Amino acid sequence: MSFEFNKKLPITILSIGNFRVKSNTCLQRHNALERIGTIVHKIEARPSQTSLLYKIANKLFRIGLPIPLPDEESINRKILYNIQKLHYNVIWIDKGLTIHANTLKKIKSISANTLLISYSPDNMAMRHNQSQDYLKSLPYYDLVITNKSYIKEDLKRLGAKNVIFVNNTFDDLFHYPRKLSLTEKKEFICDVGFIGAWEKERCESILFLAKNNINVRVYGDKSWEKYINMYPTLDIRIGGLYSDNYVKALQSFKISLCFLRKMNFDQQTTRSVEIPACGGFLMAERTNEHLSLFEENKEAVYFSSNKELLEKCKFYLKNDTERKQIIENGHKRCIQSGYSNIDTIYKILKKYVYK
């Protein structure tokens, strides 16, 4: 574990989000809120994406019709019930696709000083991440938090009053180096590793490495199946990695690849901080935000082309001392610069609840 956190704030928090998936970042943020506030309640707000009504409404909204998603789990009613029972200093809403604007207005009519916060790790300026209720609700949040620096002005144009950018974060109770058994080391160790879904650009980079005799292992979805046995240096394993195995793999790869989603125009991603926090070697696409997070060739290594990626992989696979020093420096930077959920959220609440 990275550190012990004992800086409770004397505040009450209502946390609303999708908590059903054990390892998702929404649940990790909620767990941080529980460690920060003196009283923290939660409401599960996961839209029923498999229902026919949801699918129809979502499709109609994406093609431009102002159709709200169905609130099939009565999330808005549950929120209003809770605020009538207890005064909350903060209501933290993760994404909030089915939260009604009228619900937020009702909260303010009952408790004008309650801080309404919207957080999303997605690019909420893009239609496929939005909902009609999200767009209508934006003007009623006191604070809208995004980890996409380039959409701040877009969110303001959509109606958000106060938008702040935060870097991606890691969970200090989950993303930390483990003590691995000999069996685990043997299972996960490889020269270059990647965990994630198929995308054209990242696939081209991985194939380029494999074609040039770099041993690469991929844990991913079925879209990777067609590349099985393409090169003797390419090891494709379908199914991904989850829970502790995710951390153990990042820790075991000699080099961990970090690619950015081109469709979201990302400058950093959760892997950007999770890899070094887990004790892994971060090999990432070079961006200004990556350069501000970790010093190049000291705390992480970056590339801007497949040729440069190949050269960097060859060098660090041959130079264990330099590679291990970067791993150590990157991990220290995560801790010392406060890239964890707990540090980031604590600073936000301390600043905005008591301002």
Side-chain angles (χ1 to χ4, degrees), residues 14-21 24-30 33 41-47 73 75 78-79 91-99 117 119 121:
L14 180 60
S15 172
I16 302 161
N18 174 13
F19 310 126
R20 293 179 187 171
V21 181
N24 75 3
T25 60
C26 177
L27 179 59
Q28 290 168 357
R29 286 186 290 274
H30 170 77
L33 290 170
H41 296 154
K42 70 178 180 180
I43 295 176
E44 172 70 45
R46 180 190 183 194
E73 297 187 0
I75 297 163
K78 292 174 184 176
I79 293 171
I91 296 183
W92 179 286
I93 300 176
D94 239 271
K95 206 161 184 177
L97 294 181
T98 57
I99 307 302
I117 297 179
Y119 179 100

Side-chain angles (χ1 to χ4, degrees), residues 150-171:
Y150 47 88
I151 69 168
K152 286 181 64 177
E153 295 306 313
D154 293 320
L155 290 173
K156 289 178 181 178
R157 283 192 288 271
L158 289 172
K161 295 179 297 186
N162 187 14
V163 183
I164 65 168
F165 161 73
V166 297
N167 287 309
N168 281 279
T169 54
F170 70 95
D171 182 357

Side-chain angles (χ1 to χ4, degrees), residues 153-334:
E153 295 306 313
D154 293 320
L155 290 173
K156 289 178 181 178
R157 283 192 288 271
L158 289 172
K161 295 179 297 186
N162 187 14
V163 183
I164 65 168
F165 161 73
V166 297
N167 287 309
N168 281 279
T169 54
F170 70 95
D171 182 357
D172 66 291
L173 298 182
F174 179 69
H175 300 109
Y176 64 90
R178 308 292 204 267
K179 289 184 178 181
L180 304 183
S181 67
L182 291 175
T183 301
E184 289 171 332
K185 289 179 181 178
K186 184 177 180 180
E187 178 182 357
F188 294 118
I189 193 168
C190 66
D191 285 347
V192 178
F194 174 70
I195 306 170
W198 182 93
E199 286 190 12
K200 181 177 181 292
E201 292 83 3
R202 63 183 58 168
C203 179
E204 290 173 351
S205 296
I206 287 170
L207 294 180
F208 183 81
L209 290 177
K211 184 179 179 180
N212 285 278
N213 299 313
I214 299 294
N215 292 309
V216 187
R217 182 181 298 167
V218 175
Y219 293 90
D221 57 25
K222 289 187 177 181
S223 297
W224 289 100
E225 279 185 333
K226 67 177 75 173
Y227 306 99
I228 294 175
N229 299 323
M230 179 172 284
Y231 297 107
T233 50
L234 183 59
D235 179 7
I236 303 290
R237 304 192 179 187
I238 304 301
L241 287 173
Y242 305 96
S243 193
D244 286 352
N245 284 339
Y246 171 79
V247 176
K248 292 172 183 177
L250 291 179
Q251 186 180 340
S252 300
F253 300 159
K254 291 181 181 179
I255 293 174
S256 284
L257 298 176
C258 178
F259 297 106
L260 301 172
R261 293 194 75 120
K262 302 303 182 288
M263 69 179 294
N264 284 341
F265 310 104
D266 285 347
Q267 297 295 302
Q268 56 172 284
T269 183
T270 54
R271 303 287 170 83
S272 305
V273 289
E274 290 175 356
I275 290 170
C278 293
F281 183 99
L282 177 63
M283 178 74 77
E285 295 182 63
R286 185 182 288 105
T287 66
N288 289 334
E289 288 181 22
H290 272 157
L291 289 166
S292 69
L293 284 168
F294 300 102
E295 185 176 341
E296 185 166 14
N297 298 328
K298 181 180 178 182
E299 298 165 337
V301 177
Y302 304 120
F303 63 92
S304 296
S305 68
N306 287 338
K307 181 180 177 182
E308 185 180 14
L309 171 61
L310 176 62
E311 291 172 353
K312 296 288 180 69
C313 286
K314 285 181 176 180
F315 177 83
Y316 285 103
L317 289 174
K318 292 178 181 177
N319 293 274
D320 283 352
T321 301
E322 290 88 344
R323 183 172 54 81
K324 290 176 181 177
Q325 188 60 59
I326 286 174
I327 290 172
E328 181 180 340
N329 293 342
H331 184 260
K332 285 182 179 177
R333 179 67 183 272
C334 283

Side-chain angles (χ1 to χ4, degrees), residues 98-126:
T98 57
I99 307 302
H100 301 160
N102 284 337
T103 299
L104 301 184
K105 288 192 283 186
K106 182 67 173 179
I107 293 170
K108 284 296 189 178
S109 71
I110 295 173
S111 178
N113 294 326
T114 295
L115 185 70
L116 299 178
I117 297 179
S118 169
Y119 179 100
S120 177
D122 296 319
N123 184 340
M124 298 308 292
M126 300 187 75

